[in-house]
């Protein structure tokens, strides 16, 4: 695609529930697809963070066009729903000309 992608892991990776692993995989997949289709980016950085005691954080940041409105896409709706079902949270930061930042965090253990 011509987009430089960098992937980093922070902390000591640990075993996670299969549902959490699948959700994080799908979030990363959707995020990278959005960068390829919409961002007009030359670079994307993805980070998988195990440094928090009770949750895993996955984030992606591109240097693309950004967006004025993030309410129109089914991809972000799907990410939000997938993460919410696991008791997690979604954070999006973007501005036109400033790229796009996506972050999800999900608990390591299932909520009881």
């Amino acid at each position: 695609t011509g987009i430089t992608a960098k992937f980093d892991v922070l902390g000591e990776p640990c075993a996670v529930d299969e549902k959490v692993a699948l959700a994080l995989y799908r979030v990363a997949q959707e995020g990278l697809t959005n960068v390829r289709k919409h961002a007009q980016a030359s670079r994307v950085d993805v980070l998988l963070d195990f440094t928090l005691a009770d949750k895993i954080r996955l984030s992606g940041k591109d240097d693309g066009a950004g967006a004025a409105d993030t309410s129109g896409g089914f991809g972000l709706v799907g990410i939000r729903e997938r993460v919410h079902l696991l008791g997690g949270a979604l954070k999006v930061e973007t501005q036109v000309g400033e790229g796009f930042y996506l972050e999800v965090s999900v608990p390591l253990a299932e909520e009881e």
Side-chain angles (χ1 to χ4, degrees), residues 14-28 48 56 58 82 86 106-108:
C14 62
V16 298
D17 181 84
E18 189 175 305
K19 292 176 195 173
V20 170
L22 180 59
L24 292 173
Y25 175 80
R26 294 294 185 209
V27 167
L48 186 59
I56 298 173
L58 174 70
R82 186 180 298 273
L86 295 172
V106 293
L108 279 171

Side-chain angles (χ1 to χ4, degrees), residues 29-40 62 75-76 79:
Q29 185 179 43
E30 180 65 31
L32 291 170
T33 298
N34 284 345
V35 170
R36 182 179 55 81
K37 285 184 174 180
H38 308 296
Q40 301 167 351
D62 70 55
L76 285 176
I79 289 172

